[in-house]
Amino acid sequence: MITVHHLNNSRSQRVLWLLEELGLPYEVKRYERDKTTMLAPPELRKIHPLGKSPVITDDGKTIAETGAIIEYILERYGNGRLIPPPGSDDKLRFTYWLHYAEGSAMTPLLLRLLFTRIPMNAPGLMRPLIKSVFRQADARIVEPQLKAHLALWEAELTRSEWFAGAQFTAADIVMSFPCEAAAMRAGAREKPKIAAFLGRIHARPAYQAALKTGGPYDFAS
Ligand SMILES: N[C@@H](CCC(=O)N[C@@H](CS)C(=O)NCC(=O)O)C(=O)O
C-alpha cells in the first residue's frame, strides 16, 4: 500500500487529493512543520535526503517530487484515468502543466513570499530601508513575471474548462497549488477563469476528503 509522508499545510495535499480522486487505499505518516521556521522536521530526511514533502513510499520504492509522484501513481494505478489519451494534443498540454507547475510557476511565487518575509524579519532600525529595497525589487523582477504567468493560466482556462482539455485531469491537481498560492500572494482571484477554477476544484468531494485527511491547509480558502 502507498504511504504518503505528509507534512502539514504543504504540497503533499495534492498527492492525498489525487489518491482520493482515484479511490486508492493509502496510509498517511504525519510530519509537523517547525512553528518558527516552517521547515519540515529532520525525520523526513530519513525517508528522502532532501527532507521535503511530498514523498511517498510504495512497494520498497521511495518517490519524491510532486510531478514524479503523480506520474508514478497514474502509470501504476491509474488505468488511464485522470490523464488524456497517449499521443493526443491534450496529453501534450498535460505534460506541459505537469512540469510547468513546479518548474516555472512556483519560482516567482516563492520569490514573492521571500521578498515579503525577509523585510519583516530585519532588525528594527533597518526594516524601513530593507522593506523599500525589497518592494522595489519585487515590482521590478517579480510582479511582471507573475502578471505573465497569471495571464497564461487565464488564457488556458478560457480555451477549455480544465488545464489539459475538456476533462478534469491530474494536470488540474498539480496546477492547484500555484493557483492557490497566487490567490494568496498575487491577486489570482481577480482573474475570473482562475477564480472559477479554484471554486470548481474546492467543491470536488475528493478535494474535501483529502482536506479532512491532511488537516488544516491555508491555501484552500
Ligand atoms: N518541487 C518540490 C518542492 C518540495 C517542497 O519544497 N516542499 C515543501 C512543502 S510545500 C517543504 O517540504 N518544505 C519544508 C522544508 O523545506 O523543510 C515538489 O513539488 O515536490
Side-chain angles (χ1 to χ4, degrees):
M1 193 192 292
I2 295 174
T3 299
V4 181
H5 298 268
H6 177 70
L7 180 68
N8 66 302
N9 200 18
S10 80
R11 284 164 167 90
S12 82
Q13 199 58 44
R14 284 181 296 195
V15 175
L16 299 178
W17 178 21
L18 173 67
L19 292 165
E20 291 289 342
E21 290 281 355
L22 292 170
L24 295 172
Y26 61 93
E27 55 188 33
V28 178
K29 191 161 181 324
R30 294 172 194 281
Y31 302 80
E32 289 293 316
R33 289 181 186 270
D34 180 288
K35 291 205 169 33
T36 312
T37 64
M38 293 303 280
L39 292 175
E43 300 91 74
L44 204 47
R45 259 181 258 136
K46 292 187 188 138
I47 311 300
H48 185 276
L50 293 184
K52 301 273 178 198
S53 166
V55 59
I56 64 166
T57 43
D58 183 39
D59 201 13
K61 290 178 275 288
T62 301
I63 304 122
E65 197 62 48
T66 308
I69 293 170
I70 290 177
E71 273 197 56
Y72 171 82
I73 292 172
L74 290 181
E75 192 179 314
R76 180 140 190 190
Y77 300 107
N79 289 319
R81 290 174 295 163
L82 300 185
I83 185 165
S88 63
D89 287 352
D90 284 345
K91 174 66 193 336
L92 194 56
R93 285 173 79 188
F94 175 94
T95 304
Y96 173 74
W97 294 112
L98 191 68
H99 291 274
Y100 162 92
E102 288 295 325
S104 292
M106 287 312 295
T107 307
L109 287 163
L110 187 62
L111 285 175
R112 164 70 45 92
L113 181 70
L114 292 176
F115 283 21
T116 315
R117 277 214 185 137
I118 290 169
M120 279 169 18
N121 296 322
L125 280 177
M126 311 265 285
R127 204 171 299 146
L129 176 66
I130 292 179
K131 230 179 187 169
S132 154
V133 170
F134 275 89
R135 199 176 297 130
Q136 285 175 48
D138 184 283
R140 199 160 38 84
I141 303 163
V142 182
E143 182 59 20
Q145 284 194 47
L146 284 174
K147 237 178 159 172
H149 284 276
L150 265 61
L152 174 69
W153 311 346
E154 187 71 1
E156 200 69 353
L157 292 169
T158 303
R159 195 174 146 202
S160 57
E161 192 162 77
W162 300 107
F163 273 99
Q167 307 299 325
F168 173 82
T169 69
D172 301 298
I173 296 179
V174 79
M175 279 301 292
S176 65
F177 192 71
C179 288
E180 289 172 334
M184 285 177 82
R185 290 175 214 152
R189 284 201 184 279
E190 285 153 38
K191 300 276 185 193
K193 299 290 179 184
I194 301 172
F197 170 77
L198 287 169
R200 281 197 301 281
I201 61 170
H202 292 165
R204 291 182 77 85
Y207 185 99
Q208 291 297 328
L211 271 190
K212 263 196 197 131
T213 306
Y217 179 61
D218 290 348
F219 300 87
S221 51

